[in-house]
Amino acid sequence: MARTHVNCNTLFTGLEDTARQHQRLIIEDGVFTYVGPQDSAPAIGAGEEVIDTGEHFVMPGLVDVHTHLVFGNAKSEEDIDLHVSPEFRALRGLFFTQHVLAAGYTSVVVPGDAGQCSISVRNAINAGMFTGPRIAASSNVISNRQSLNDWFPSWVGTPEYFSGRLCATRDEQIAEIRRQAKDGVDLMKIAMDGPHFRPNGEHIAAFTEDETRFMVDEIHRLGKKVAVHAYGREAVLYAAKAGVDVIFHAFFMDDECIEAILKSGSHVAPTFTMLANNTEFAEPYEASTKSGYASMQRRVIEAGCRNLKKAFAAGVPFMTGSDSGFAITPYGEWHAREIEILVDWLGLSPAQALRAATSVSAKMMPATQRVGALEVGRRADFIRVDGSPLDNVAILQERQRICGVYLGGRRIEAQVPGYDPNRVSDFNTVKWSELHTRQRAVEMGKRTLSTLNRQ
Ligand SMILES: [Zn+2]
């Protein structure tokens, strides 16, 4: 098998604190067989390919552990669950893999969607039918009555095509877990809490500590990973004690939670990007602002920064997720903002944040997909960046700085044609956003007071 030799003036392995100079990568069968100084590299054979990366900064392809690949940049829960068939969601997801790739993200973890959507996208890519990022796929989010994904009233329930699956009893939980394992997920997501609070404002966990342990043990027994959504102290604590692989958010964790996480070896993916975008970009007329969601998130950010800083200082390992797939976090746009947030809000060094976004986040990928670092034995997924993210991590959000994306040593040109968002998503039937009284018509200058009085 012919080898490919990549000369790198500046190389960041994803495992260290600094970049190395004058390095060479050698790739065979899509895997690194040499990573080290050019001086001591094995000789280049006749006819073998040599890639010169010039002044580019070479680093591992980025990993986002929280991208909702099939949500279609949704504006509402109805957008996610009601208006689009699972088949269309999968096709749409396949389309948006290109936007993710073009942003330098060569691996994504998809935490929760209906049926076989992300599984199908993953299988089509793995079969070589399409070129796309490596995908860790999941199925429905395991939910309970107090969970995030049990969005709709109890009389609606959770039909099969919803992204959440109501599992209110142990029997239902275990049956759902075994169904998902059979269908070939890489991970399962449990919604450990949601918008349910005690009178003192504390989040209520949707599952008991016992139930959580029971589910996580069964998922691990079946060889799958577990991600959980948990804002509140109680949910974080139960998840950590049960030994889940990654906790999304963990904003209200306390010292007991931190201790439990350190003991179990769980990771935390703050996934602040969605909150940051929402508080900064949502306009006053948008439902997100009017409903108080944005101002609630502002308070969550304050508490979250405090607690997450403490956790990182105590040694809790961070991963990076963006919650891409919503209208406030469109695909390919904001994935790398999370890296900037880890530096600016939580005080990580650029190298720490880059490791979080590469080698640490890669731990959520299937064991067969060893990625996330430039290291012998790992798959040769890497990117070329114009400029050093070690000097300024924010440059990773500038598309023109991502000068080359390689999967298994092969350069990929992602296809990102323009598209009409109204034909891809946003099929809501909402027709009006305010109450059109006669008084309001006058205020808007559509009617005059005299026409009103005549009536
Ligand atoms: Zn999410």
Side-chain angles (χ1 to χ4, degrees):
M1 184 70 196
R3 298 180 301 182
T4 302
H5 306 256
V6 187
N7 289 325
C8 310
N9 274 326
T10 310
L11 177 151
F12 180 71
T13 61
L15 298 164
E16 297 164 345
D17 267 330
T18 52
R20 303 182 190 177
Q21 310 301 319
H22 309 296
Q23 299 284 298
R24 183 169 298 155
L25 305 168
I26 300 180
I27 301 157
E28 263 180 276
D29 281 332
V31 172
F32 293 119
T33 54
Y34 177 84
V35 178
Q38 284 173 21
D39 296 343
S40 44
I44 298 171
E48 288 184 331
E49 184 187 13
V50 179
I51 298 172
D52 222 315
T53 59
E55 292 311 307
H56 288 155
F57 184 98
V58 178
M59 63 176 286
L62 294 157
V63 185
D64 189 324
V65 297
H66 198 150
T67 286
H68 295 288
L69 200 54
V70 307
F71 284 8
N73 295 335
K75 290 186 176 149
S76 65
E77 307 311 333
E78 288 82 355
D79 240 3
I80 295 169
D81 282 341
L82 285 181
H83 298 290
V84 174
S85 70
E87 292 82 359
F88 188 76
R89 293 179 211 176
L91 291 169
R92 190 171 64 181
L94 186 57
F95 174 78
F96 283 122
T97 58
Q98 302 303 298
H99 294 246
V100 174
L101 255 192
Y105 279 75
T106 51
S107 291
V108 281
V109 178
V110 185
D113 53 64
Q116 311 260 336
C117 292
S118 61
I119 296 172
S120 306
V121 176
R122 178 201 64 192
N123 290 355
I125 290 171
N126 286 354
M129 297 155 70
F130 299 93
T131 299
R134 303 185 197 276
I135 291 174
S138 64
S139 187
N140 306 61
V141 178
I142 296 168
S143 304
N144 208 339
R145 293 292 188 195
Q146 279 66 44
S147 287
L148 191 68
N149 293 76
D150 188 30
W151 301 115
F152 299 101
S154 52
W155 55 89
V156 176
T158 53
E160 234 165 87
Y161 51 87
F162 275 23
S163 54
R165 173 66 50 82
L166 182 62
C167 301
T169 67
R170 283 202 182 196
D171 285 351
E172 288 169 353
Q173 290 152 16
I174 231 67
E176 177 63 14
I177 286 166
R178 290 177 183 164
R179 194 274 301 170
Q180 294 194 13
K182 175 177 179 172
D183 285 352
V185 300
D186 297 302
L187 74 148
M188 300 189 203
K189 180 172 174 186
I190 304 172
M192 280 299 300
D193 59 13
H196 290 259
F197 308 93
R198 298 215 165 78
N200 68 1
E202 197 185 47
H203 288 76
I204 299 171
F207 297 93
T208 64
E209 186 174 344
D210 258 14
E211 283 176 306
T212 311
R213 192 185 305 272
F214 188 64
M215 288 189 288
V216 173
D217 282 352
E218 184 62 4
I219 297 169
H220 280 157
R221 190 181 74 83
L222 295 171
K224 308 299 179 184
K225 292 193 164 73
V226 192
V228 302
H229 166 100
Y231 265 44
R233 189 197 68 85
E234 192 174 84
V236 174
L237 186 63
Y238 296 170
K241 282 186 168 178
V244 305
D245 299 278
V246 61
I247 301 170
F248 296 141
H249 313 305
F251 297 134
F252 294 98
M253 69 167 121
D254 64 2
D255 290 345
E256 195 184 357
C257 296
I258 292 172
E259 209 174 293
I261 290 170
L262 291 173
K263 201 166 155 205
S264 69
S266 302
H267 299 79
V268 167
T271 322
F272 260 132
T273 301
M274 147 80 88
L275 288 81
N277 282 10
N278 203 31
T279 52
E280 290 171 25
F281 307 150
E283 292 288 338
Y285 58 81
E286 292 190 278
S288 146
T289 310
K290 284 199 214 162
S291 67
Y293 185 62
S295 56
M296 176 276 283
Q297 292 204 319
R298 213 163 282 130
R299 291 194 297 274
V300 171
I301 288 172
E302 272 177 37
C305 279
R306 226 177 14 249
N307 296 328
L308 287 162
K309 267 186 199 162
K310 224 171 161 188
F312 191 74
V316 171
F318 283 2
M319 292 177 167
T320 50
S322 61
D323 235 327
S324 287
F326 296 93
I328 196 78
T329 50
Y331 303 106
E333 298 283 332
W334 300 107
H335 304 275
R337 184 170 188 194
E338 188 74 8
I339 303 173
E340 187 186 9
I341 288 175
L342 291 188
V343 172
D344 288 354
W345 294 11
L346 300 180
L348 274 71
S349 72
Q352 287 171 330
L354 292 178
R355 286 202 299 269
T358 53
S359 56
V360 184
S361 287
K363 292 179 183 169
M364 280 307 290
M365 297 304 290
T368 51
Q369 308 266 26
R370 281 200 71 213
V371 294
L374 309 183
E375 186 184 46
V376 171
R378 301 223 198 196
R379 295 193 183 230
D381 296 358
F382 60 96
I383 59 174
R384 295 165 60 164
V385 185
D386 175 16
S388 171
L390 286 172
D391 295 336
N392 176 10
V393 291
I395 65 170
L396 289 170
Q397 292 162 66
E398 293 172 35
R399 187 63 61 81
Q400 69 277 12
R401 300 264 200 169
I402 309 297
C403 300
V405 178
Y406 295 76
L407 277 173
R410 212 157 54 86
R411 189 175 182 139
I412 305 297
E413 295 296 342
Q415 303 298 311
V416 284
Y419 63 96
D420 176 357
N422 295 311
R423 299 180 71 183
V424 171
S425 188
D426 203 11
F427 301 109
N428 283 311
T429 58
V430 173
K431 292 183 180 61
W432 304 280
S433 58
E434 65 171 299
L435 198 61
H436 293 277
T437 59
R438 288 176 298 135
Q439 183 58 41
R440 182 75 185 121
V442 171
E443 285 165 17
M444 293 174 80
K446 307 281 184 189
R447 302 289 296 259
T448 60
L449 266 179
S450 60
T451 47
L452 274 189
N453 291 337
R454 225 173 40 228
Q455 285 170 348

